[in-house]
Amino acid sequence: MCRIYGCFGGERAGPGVLEAVAAAMYPGGPDEQTVLRSGGWALGTNRLAVQGIDSGRQPFRHGPLTCVFNGEIYNHRQLRAELAAHGYTFDGDCDGNVLLPLYELHGDAFTSRLEGMFALALVDEREEPALKLFTDHAGMKSLYYYVSADGRRLRFASELRALSLFPDFPGELDPLAVDRYLGGKAVWGPGTVHPRVRTLEPGSALRFADGRTTLTRTPLAPAEPDWPGGEPTVAAAAALLDELLRTEVGLMLDADVPVCVVTSGGLDSSYTTALAAHLVPEVASFNIAYRGDWPADERHHAAEVARHCGTEHHQVLLDPAGFPELVERYVRHLDQPNNAPHGLSTFALFEAVHQAGFKVALTGDGADELFAGYARFVKADRDGAATWHRTYQGTMAAADTAALGRLYTPDYLAHVKDAGGCFGDRSGDELDRRVRSGEHGKLETLLRYDQQERFPYYILRRVDHLSMAHSVEARIPFLQPSVMRLARATPAHVKVAGDAVKAPVAEAARRWVPRSIVERPKQPFTLPVTAMIRPGEALYDMIGDLLLGRDARCRDYVRQDTVQDVFRTQTENPAAHAAELLWSLLVLETWLRARGLTPAPLPERASR
């Protein structure tokens, strides 16, 4: 696991630039920092040594091929054996050693052979020198890039704040990013908060040579499961899923450093914990909760799972009185605003994992998005109203379009409308268009839309950045290609069986986790902000000071009187909708301050 960066084309970066870019990502790779400069390009890494510790020095080189790599290749032993049969030899056991030989044999299609997570950059000088960037199909590892204004140079980095240290970085903020953030709870890719900066989408390959950029996306190869009993049922899907997950978890437990599991107390992480405990002895589990008596406290469920599985359980407790300082530290590691309240908990949890001496943590992310674990999927699937897509998109926003219309200043609202309307409406309309195309059923379309458009940027960017902020590699069994293929081959009526969501996952977990965990109502892992944003609590005071102050940085975009009304509502009658909007604005305001930014002026509108 590493952080990677580099540049290609034109003049190389000046003295000290690459070192500054690397330093900005130091926590993601504290074990070794290397950079290779050659002619018109440079590739660099910060290494978090996890596999093949003595033999994994980057950049990797093989004749005229050079690459840097962020991620883990879990099937590297199998690939190494296959490559040895072709005459390749290897020094050591680093997973990244297989990348260039595999690329030499298969070209760009080599990524289809990889089981793991990755963002990698490769320079191929065999013919026309070219830079190539690749990402895994789930989009687990981030990679940001931009092309210089003259089109001659491409710069890239694993983190946006590091990329911004290149002298020609196009750092102007996109005013519409505020609407995209509030309408999607995060800035969905491939665009970013900077109009000329992009993020490489899941399953993508980018080629840059002689000032020309070519971008392609490779679909995940379909699966044809050999269903036990001959047809897809909940039991058959559960049996195949369990077999795959045991294999994937086993591969992920293979590391040259200590590995632990994150146990929220929910079904998916409990299942992952149980499989890990079954496969190796003395697994450590981690859970996070908050001092005091708060709603949605799952620590007793996590403790029950730990006792059942026999893990060495670590209970992390946060004091809400310290949240203002924690919010500021947490937001500094968000490349772009992200409103998930439990991001704060995730940040603190990985900090505790690091302090306990672990470099790798398994998580249960992805099962809900693959197997329809959220009630919003089912509700939208069964909603026959003409405006179902607008209603659905509202559930993925900090506030629905009507509420945002009341929140935005008149000038900003006019700007949003001139640009084509609110992000929430536009994305909802796009979802409706995909459903009407008839390529997949409605539920499967909902799931694939989420996997492609929302999940990588709202959840996976958060997992990646907040784990690497503490030098921890997060591994995600549910997002391996084998599991993703099975999920896409599983019919909707199997994923949602009657009123049972995520039915194959629950059925597969029954043999591993307590019945009370399998059958209890779904409870999202979150920070109880509704209860924590009220008079007398530290978050309440922080929000009042930042959002209602004269120096609030987003005043040109959101009406202060509306923010005051929402704050008053939350003060007098705490409610989830008011709390989430206030939290979202707090993250935005804190992010702008942490970056030393002020939203760009709105373009002047022609007189009407």
Side-chain angles (χ1 to χ4, degrees):
M1 180 67 69
C2 302
R3 283 320 204 199
I4 64 173
Y5 58 94
C7 52
F8 186 92
E11 297 180 1
R12 291 189 311 196
V17 172
L18 295 176
E19 291 75 11
V21 172
M25 301 186 290
Y26 179 82
D31 295 328
E32 185 179 31
Q33 294 76 45
T34 55
V35 62
L36 177 65
R37 298 172 172 88
S38 179
W41 57 267
L43 298 178
T45 63
N46 292 356
R47 187 185 182 201
L48 180 66
V50 169
Q51 186 69 45
I53 291 175
D54 296 329
S55 59
R57 185 178 180 85
Q58 297 196 43
F60 299 109
R61 306 207 74 180
H62 181 71
L65 306 175
T66 308
C67 81
V68 290
F69 158 58
N70 173 26
E72 292 289 341
I73 306 303
Y74 304 124
N75 63 335
H76 67 100
R77 300 187 196 282
Q78 172 192 336
L79 293 172
R80 191 177 289 108
E82 293 176 7
L83 291 165
H86 286 275
Y88 290 97
T89 60
F90 300 92
D91 294 325
D93 191 37
C94 180
D95 57 317
N97 286 333
V98 304
L99 296 172
L100 290 178
L102 205 63
Y103 171 77
E104 186 176 55
L105 281 178
H106 301 286
D108 290 358
F110 84 109
T111 56
S112 65
R113 307 295 308 283
L114 303 178
E115 298 279 337
M117 55 182 176
F118 56 87
L120 64 92
L122 186 154
V123 172
D124 186 341
E125 297 182 286
R126 289 177 298 184
E127 297 177 358
E128 178 185 42
L131 170 71
K132 296 184 177 183
L133 308 178
F134 301 90
T135 54
D136 66 72
H137 281 96
M140 286 177 274
K141 307 308 294 179
S142 56
L143 198 60
Y144 300 94
Y145 69 95
Y146 69 93
V147 176
S148 61
D150 62 9
R152 298 174 54 211
R153 298 176 301 281
L154 186 146
R155 321 285 204 192
F156 69 90
S158 296
E159 297 183 14
L160 187 56
R161 60 180 181 150
L163 187 65
S164 72
L165 297 178
F166 282 104
D168 60 352
F169 180 77
E172 65 273 15
L173 285 179
D174 181 0
L176 292 173
V178 173
D179 176 62
R180 290 163 59 206
Y181 161 62
L182 293 174
K185 298 187 179 181
V187 179
W188 298 9
T192 70
V193 295
H194 305 291
R196 288 179 41 216
V197 180
R198 312 283 283 179
T199 182
L200 201 58
E201 296 177 88
S204 291
L206 180 149
R207 184 181 188 273
F208 182 78
D210 194 27
R212 302 185 306 275
T213 302
T214 304
L215 183 64
T216 58
R217 292 190 69 176
T218 305
L220 192 66
E224 296 182 0
D226 183 11
W227 299 107
E231 62 178 314
T233 63
V234 172
L240 293 180
L241 176 62
D242 191 58
E243 180 181 357
L244 291 175
L245 282 177
R246 276 185 284 166
T247 298
E248 300 295 354
V249 170
L251 291 172
M252 292 185 184
L253 292 170
D254 178 13
D256 294 339
V257 296
V259 179
C260 67
V261 291
V262 173
T263 308
S264 70
L267 175 64
D268 310 327
S269 67
S270 298
Y271 185 16
T272 303
T273 298
L275 291 179
H278 171 73
L279 292 168
V280 298
E282 300 179 356
V283 169
S285 56
F286 283 78
N287 176 263
I288 194 161
Y290 318 104
R291 296 189 185 279
D293 183 15
W294 299 101
D297 190 336
E298 293 187 285
R299 77 183 80 176
H300 57 291
H301 296 299
E304 180 184 5
V305 171
R307 288 192 299 270
H308 180 84
C309 299
T311 65
E312 178 189 340
H313 195 52
H314 298 249
Q315 182 60 68
V316 182
L317 287 176
L318 291 183
D319 185 351
F323 278 3
E325 184 271 338
L326 184 61
V327 166
E328 292 179 354
R329 286 202 296 127
Y330 150 69
V331 169
R332 281 200 295 271
H333 290 280
L334 290 178
D335 262 344
Q336 303 185 85
N338 187 306
N339 98 322
H342 54 284
L344 188 69
S345 314
T346 302
F347 177 77
L349 178 64
F350 283 121
E351 185 171 46
V353 167
H354 169 76
Q355 291 171 348
F358 292 90
K359 276 189 171 182
V360 176
L362 273 61
T363 81
D365 293 295
D368 289 314
E369 288 75 14
L370 292 176
F371 290 96
Y374 295 127
R376 61 180 168 86
F377 291 137
V378 180
K379 185 175 181 180
D381 181 43
R382 297 173 180 176
D383 187 347
T387 57
W388 71 269
H389 52 290
R390 297 282 181 95
T391 303
Y392 173 76
Q393 185 62 33
T395 67
M396 295 193 290
D400 62 27
T401 299
L404 292 178
R406 294 188 294 271
L407 175 69
Y408 294 157
T409 64
D411 285 348
Y412 186 56
L413 182 60
H415 178 63
V416 168
K417 290 180 177 180
D418 287 347
C422 289
F423 171 80
D425 287 348
R426 289 186 288 108
S427 56
D429 292 347
E430 170 60 18
L431 175 58
D432 185 50
R433 186 195 66 77
R434 295 192 190 186
V435 168
R436 291 177 184 275
S437 74
E439 182 178 359
H440 306 287
K442 187 176 182 182
L443 179 62
E444 185 62 27
T445 301
L446 286 164
L447 295 177
R448 296 195 186 199
Y449 179 81
D450 198 286
Q451 294 162 25
Q452 296 166 4
E453 306 297 334
R454 169 189 172 272
F455 182 58
Y457 311 106
Y458 179 59
I459 293 181
L460 295 181
R461 285 298 76 78
R462 191 172 70 238
V463 173
D464 178 33
H465 289 300
L466 301 183
S467 60
M468 294 296 272
H470 300 296
S471 307
V472 174
E473 173 183 296
R475 296 183 171 185
I476 311 176
F478 279 101
L479 294 185
Q480 290 313 294
S482 64
V483 181
M484 293 182 69
R485 290 189 186 102
L486 174 64
R488 293 189 174 186
T490 301
H493 73 271
V494 174
K495 291 174 181 171
V496 180
D499 292 328
V501 299
K502 203 166 50 178
V505 180
E507 185 63 26
R510 284 186 186 279
R511 63 176 292 199
W512 300 105
V513 304
R515 179 178 177 180
S516 59
I517 301 297
V518 176
E519 297 183 355
R520 77 183 182 92
K522 181 174 177 59
Q523 178 178 317
F525 170 58
T526 190
L527 187 76
V529 290
T530 303
M532 290 181 171
I533 302 175
R534 60 184 182 185
E537 299 296 337
L539 277 181
Y540 178 89
D541 293 335
M542 183 183 190
I543 286 173
D545 292 341
L546 290 183
L547 297 186
L548 300 178
R550 291 182 175 273
D551 60 344
R553 302 206 172 200
C554 47
R555 293 173 67 96
D556 290 341
Y557 294 79
V558 299
R559 297 172 57 113
Q560 290 294 287
D561 57 342
T562 302
V563 176
Q564 180 70 64
D565 288 343
V566 176
F567 192 70
R568 184 182 303 111
T569 296
Q570 180 63 16
T571 302
E572 298 171 353
N573 186 24
H577 68 279
E580 181 169 10
L581 181 54
L582 290 171
W583 170 263
S584 302
L585 293 172
L586 172 65
V587 170
L588 175 62
E589 182 69 26
T590 307
W591 184 86
L592 290 168
R593 290 169 182 257
R595 294 293 187 273
L597 299 172
T598 301
L602 298 177
E604 292 190 14
R605 305 176 68 223
S607 59
R608 296 183 183 274

